Amino acid sequence: MLTELSIQDFAIIDKISITFNEGLTVMTGETGAGKSIIIDAVQLLAGGRGSVEYVRHGTKKAEIEGLFILDSDTHHIYETAKHYGIDIQDGMVVLHRTMTSGGKSICRVNGKLVTLAILKEFGKHLIDIHSQHETQSLLDADNHIQLLDLYDEKQITKAKNEYMRLFEKLSRLQKRHKELSENEQEISQRFDLLKFQKNEIEQANLVPDEDEHLEEERSQLANFERIYSGLQDAYNALYGEQKGLDWLNMANHALQNNSDYDTFIAEKAEEMSNHYFLIEELMYALRNYTETLQYDPQRLNEIESRLNEISRLKKKYGATVNDILEYLGKIEEELEEITNKDSHLSKLEQQIDEMYHDAFLEAKQLHDLRKKAAQSLSEDIHKELKDLYLEKASFSVSFDSKEKAGEHIKLHRNGLDSIHFQISTNPGEPLKQLHKIASGGELSRIMLALKRIFAKHQGITSVIFDEVDTGVSGRIAQAIAEKIQQISSQSQVLCITHLPQVAAMSDTHKRIQKHEKNNRTSTIVEELSKDEKINELGRMITGSTLTDTAKNHATELLESASKSKKHIG
């Protein structure tokens, strides 16, 4: 969940830091106080599109930072973090975004600089913002099949993964078949290119690891004088005028002569004797290796020439000689395939038929599981809609699927299925896709019903509702309030509202106000006590002056909300 939000120099906000709790947090205040600006800030933190207009007038940059606490170590965001090399410790994720007055946007996740696209990847796993003014992901037909798969994730994921494994194999086979069977001119050109590359590599007569051996030999010849001098110095220090080995021998005899009188000396005499013989062997090895060294400038030139040739091939075919030889093997395979194209095409067609058959069976099984899940989902949605006084509404999951076996029906990443959610809000009216619902009040309730179902499946840590209750009142307002409270039992919910019924349901109530200081307007946020909450609800009820009647009504509303929450819980 979002636990801490810091905003600085953003629109009319000077500097605020807001702490959020679990459950339902509502934010209320007069129009223009800055409620939606806070949501705009959160949206930008989740990777939304920014603008220099958000930078507070007279400042150089706007900064937004949010701390999120994950309550599960299996959250999807861990996979995203691992993919982008970002470390998550103690279940904490910090998103940070800076926008400059010059139009630059700087994004960070847990302190690491990331692109806006990567920030958006993290944001979509943490925050789900719902506003009456924008198209929601729940209303986007392209997302409906993913939502249905999430609904019965345990059953569908296994079948989906198995289908995807077969589909990817099928796609690779089909791609290769297309490459071999289409455009003779391109294949002929490809054949000539591969033959040229094969001849060029073969003429070089490369040997595995040749580049490494040559570079080692070049290093030895190029540094021959230093190597030879170093070996001679080491040998002379041990056996030459300095007679290092003689001094060691003297030390060895000194210990040996007294080893009978002291156990410590006996132990060290044995060690010294072992070390002496090892160093003596080392000295002979140095001498023998020195005698093998020969400086050959002609060989050095040959090595340089050979390495230049290998370097030229590396630029074309691989980073090492072994890589080049591996590429040569691939060339030979492809040339053989093109030369015997007809037999390979026939073999590919047989493989495609077999793989298609297996993939089709998996796609059919996946389709059957989705059909079963769609029936259960429709029943659950109808229950939610009934709670929201849309008991006469009809919801359906529409499948555009081709199930006839025996024909090569084109498979896609989702198998056989292309689906979208449909609804009819009035008896006798035909089912329509969700985005075609005209009534704002109906759309808000449908969205809440869907969100109630999918909140626990999507794994979103924070759900934000920005005035989604606009255009409703009375018993529908109360039903919406109860539905939002239900969602908050599965995910943290932040809600901007003008409905006292929704505000009364809150676990935490924050009031947003404008404040003027030194001829500048700023937004301030304060958390309300119980008495302050009663007064705020009273003002929301009357819309103007707070009266005793309004306060009594607010008190009753809070008591009723408390009973409803216990019933919901």
Side-chain angles (χ1 to χ4, degrees):
M1 69 173 185
L2 175 62
T3 60
E4 192 78 22
L5 177 66
S6 297
I7 307 171
Q8 184 171 345
D9 295 327
F10 184 80
I12 64 171
I13 295 175
D14 179 15
K15 185 177 182 180
I16 60 173
S17 182
I18 313 172
T19 300
F20 293 104
N21 302 314
E22 295 180 348
L24 172 59
T25 296
V26 300
M27 292 180 280
T28 62
E30 297 294 334
T31 300
K35 301 184 301 297
S36 291
I37 291 175
I38 293 174
I39 303 303
D40 289 339
V42 175
Q43 196 161 29
L44 288 170
L45 194 62
R49 184 171 296 178
S51 167
V52 294
E53 299 298 323
Y54 283 122
V55 181
R56 185 171 168 84
H57 178 68
T59 64
K60 294 182 179 180
K61 61 183 180 180
E63 293 187 85
I64 311 161
E65 186 170 73
L67 168 63
F68 296 82
I69 303 295
L70 307 176
D71 58 2
S72 171
D73 56 7
T74 60
H75 195 282
H76 296 304
I77 202 168
Y78 281 98
E79 294 179 11
T80 305
K82 184 178 180 181
H83 177 74
Y84 292 112
I86 294 172
D87 187 30
I88 297 179
Q89 294 184 351
D90 300 324
M92 294 191 294
V93 178
V94 177
L95 304 185
H96 183 100
R97 186 166 182 185
T98 299
M99 289 175 297
T100 69
S101 56
K104 293 183 179 179
S105 183
I106 303 166
C107 309
R108 289 184 175 87
V109 177
N110 280 3
K112 182 176 180 177
L113 283 170
V114 297
T115 63
L116 182 59
I118 294 175
L119 182 70
K120 193 171 185 177
E121 281 287 305
F122 280 85
K124 74 179 184 181
H125 290 304
L126 296 170
I127 305 167
D128 191 10
I129 300 177
H130 294 265
S131 166
Q132 59 174 330
H133 304 297
E134 57 186 29
T135 303
Q136 302 304 321
S137 62
L138 289 176
L139 305 182
D140 187 348
D142 291 338
N143 294 327
H144 291 174
I145 195 162
Q146 283 77 26
L147 290 171
L148 180 63
D149 291 350
L150 274 174
Y151 176 76
D152 193 12
E153 187 174 17
K154 187 175 181 180
Q155 294 292 327
I156 291 177
T157 298
K158 184 178 179 181
K160 193 173 183 179
N161 289 341
E162 179 59 23
Y163 167 74
M164 282 302 303
R165 185 182 67 82
L166 296 173
F167 174 74
E168 287 171 0
K169 285 185 177 180
L170 175 64
S171 298
R172 287 195 294 269
L173 290 171
Q174 290 172 332
K175 180 182 178 182
R176 187 60 191 142
H177 185 276
K178 183 178 180 181
E179 290 171 349
L180 274 176
S181 60
E182 293 184 359
N183 203 325
E184 291 288 339
Q185 184 179 358
E186 285 186 9
I187 292 176
S188 177
Q189 290 172 349
R190 176 69 176 168
F191 183 81
D192 291 341
L193 173 64
L194 293 174
K195 279 190 68 177
F196 171 80
Q197 292 178 339
K198 178 175 180 289
N199 291 335
E200 185 176 35
I201 295 173
E202 286 180 340
Q203 286 173 7
N205 293 317
L206 297 174
V207 177
D209 300 318
E210 181 181 0
D211 49 344
E212 294 180 7
H213 296 317
L214 287 174
E215 285 169 3
E216 184 179 348
E217 189 178 354
R218 178 178 66 178
S219 176
Q220 184 189 82
L221 288 171
N223 295 281
F224 178 84
E225 187 175 340
R226 293 184 61 184
I227 294 170
Y228 188 84
S229 177
L231 288 168
Q232 283 283 60
D233 289 345
Y235 178 78
N236 288 333
L238 292 173
Y239 200 69
E241 293 180 359
Q242 299 177 49
K243 297 183 178 179
L245 201 59
D246 288 346
W247 286 104
L248 289 175
N249 192 31
M250 289 174 61
N252 184 33
H253 283 302
L255 292 174
Q256 292 287 348
N257 291 337
N258 294 282
S259 60
D260 293 337
Y261 313 122
D262 190 299
T263 54
F264 173 80
I265 293 176
E267 180 183 339
K268 297 307 172 186
E270 186 177 355
E271 288 184 23
M272 175 62 78
S273 181
N274 292 335
H275 291 323
Y276 174 81
F277 290 121
L278 285 173
I279 293 174
E280 188 178 41
E281 288 180 12
L282 171 63
M283 180 199 68
Y284 291 133
L286 292 175
R287 183 192 65 187
N288 294 336
Y289 185 70
T290 303
E291 291 175 352
T292 65
L293 291 179
Q294 288 183 343
Y295 179 65
D296 186 351
Q298 184 177 350
R299 175 57 182 164
L300 182 59
N301 290 333
E302 291 173 358
I303 291 172
E304 291 288 1
S305 176
R306 181 63 171 169
L307 285 174
N308 286 336
E309 182 182 6
I310 291 173
S311 178
R312 182 180 62 81
L313 294 174
K314 284 181 178 181
K315 292 177 181 178
K316 294 182 179 182
Y317 307 120
T320 67
V321 165
N322 290 348
D323 290 340
I324 296 172
L325 292 172
E326 184 179 344
Y327 180 70
L328 175 62
K330 292 179 180 178
I331 289 175
E332 291 170 341
E333 288 180 9
E334 191 172 348
L335 283 171
E336 192 275 332
E337 197 174 63
I338 294 174
T339 303
N340 302 287
K341 186 179 70 171
D342 292 340
S343 63
H344 277 283
L345 281 173
S346 177
K347 184 178 179 181
L348 277 172
E349 287 165 3
Q350 182 180 352
Q351 290 175 333
I352 288 170
D353 284 340
E354 293 172 356
M355 190 59 64
Y356 177 87
H357 176 74
D358 293 343
F360 183 87
L361 291 177
E362 287 295 334
K364 183 63 171 63
Q365 181 184 1
L366 185 58
H367 169 75
D368 293 341
L369 289 171
R370 284 177 175 149
K371 278 281 190 180
K372 185 178 178 181
Q375 180 63 36
S376 179
L377 173 63
S378 297
E379 293 172 2
D380 283 349
I381 292 291
H382 281 125
K383 292 176 185 176
E384 297 295 329
L385 292 175
K386 184 177 180 181
D387 292 343
L388 292 163
Y389 297 102
L390 283 170
E391 60 273 3
K392 295 182 180 180
S394 178
F395 177 89
S396 174
V397 179
S398 174
F399 282 78
D400 180 14
S401 308
K402 299 173 182 178
E403 305 175 40
K404 186 177 179 181
E407 298 179 8
H408 267 212
I409 299 166
K410 185 174 177 60
L411 299 174
H412 50 79
R413 296 191 68 83
N414 288 316
L416 297 167
D417 303 317
S418 175
I419 74 167
H420 55 267
F421 298 160
Q422 292 184 319
I423 196 162
S424 170
T425 54
N426 297 299
E429 292 294 320
L431 291 163
K432 298 179 181 178
Q433 293 190 33
L434 296 184
H435 68 275
K436 296 182 179 180
I437 301 299
S439 167
E442 288 178 344
L443 191 59
S444 294
R445 284 181 280 167
I446 293 166
M447 186 191 67
L448 280 174
L450 291 169
K451 176 50 62 180
R452 166 77 171 123
I453 296 295
F454 290 115
K456 62 181 178 181
H457 298 290
Q458 288 179 296
I460 302 295
T461 65
S462 302
V463 180
I464 299 176
F465 294 113
D466 185 8
E467 299 186 9
V468 296
D469 47 25
T470 300
V472 298
S473 58
R475 64 175 188 168
I476 294 176
Q478 182 60 36
I480 285 179
E482 292 176 1
K483 197 59 62 181
I484 290 175
Q485 172 62 35
Q486 289 174 354
I487 295 171
S488 73
S489 67
Q490 299 167 343
S491 293
Q492 178 195 46
V493 172
L494 312 179
C495 180
I496 290 178
T497 184
H498 290 290
L499 288 179
Q501 293 95 329
V502 175
M505 281 286 186
S506 68
D507 300 303
T508 306
H509 191 146
K510 295 184 183 291
R511 182 169 58 203
I512 318 296
Q513 291 180 301
K514 283 196 294 188
H515 174 69
E516 290 187 16
K517 184 178 181 181
N518 298 327
N519 295 322
R520 291 299 301 270
T521 302
S522 298
T523 293
I524 59 173
V525 181
E526 56 182 348
E527 187 170 318
L528 303 184
S529 65
K530 183 177 180 180
D531 290 340
E532 289 171 331
K533 187 173 181 178
I534 290 172
N535 290 341
E536 180 70 7
L537 289 174
R539 292 189 186 94
M540 294 175 73
I541 292 168
T542 61
S544 56
T545 306
L546 178 63
T547 64
D548 290 339
T549 302
K551 289 178 68 173
N552 291 334
H553 189 181
T555 302
E556 292 176 3
L557 194 59
L558 275 176
E559 291 174 354
S560 176
S562 179
K563 292 178 182 177
S564 294
K565 285 197 284 187
K566 289 180 181 178
H567 177 70
I568 292 171

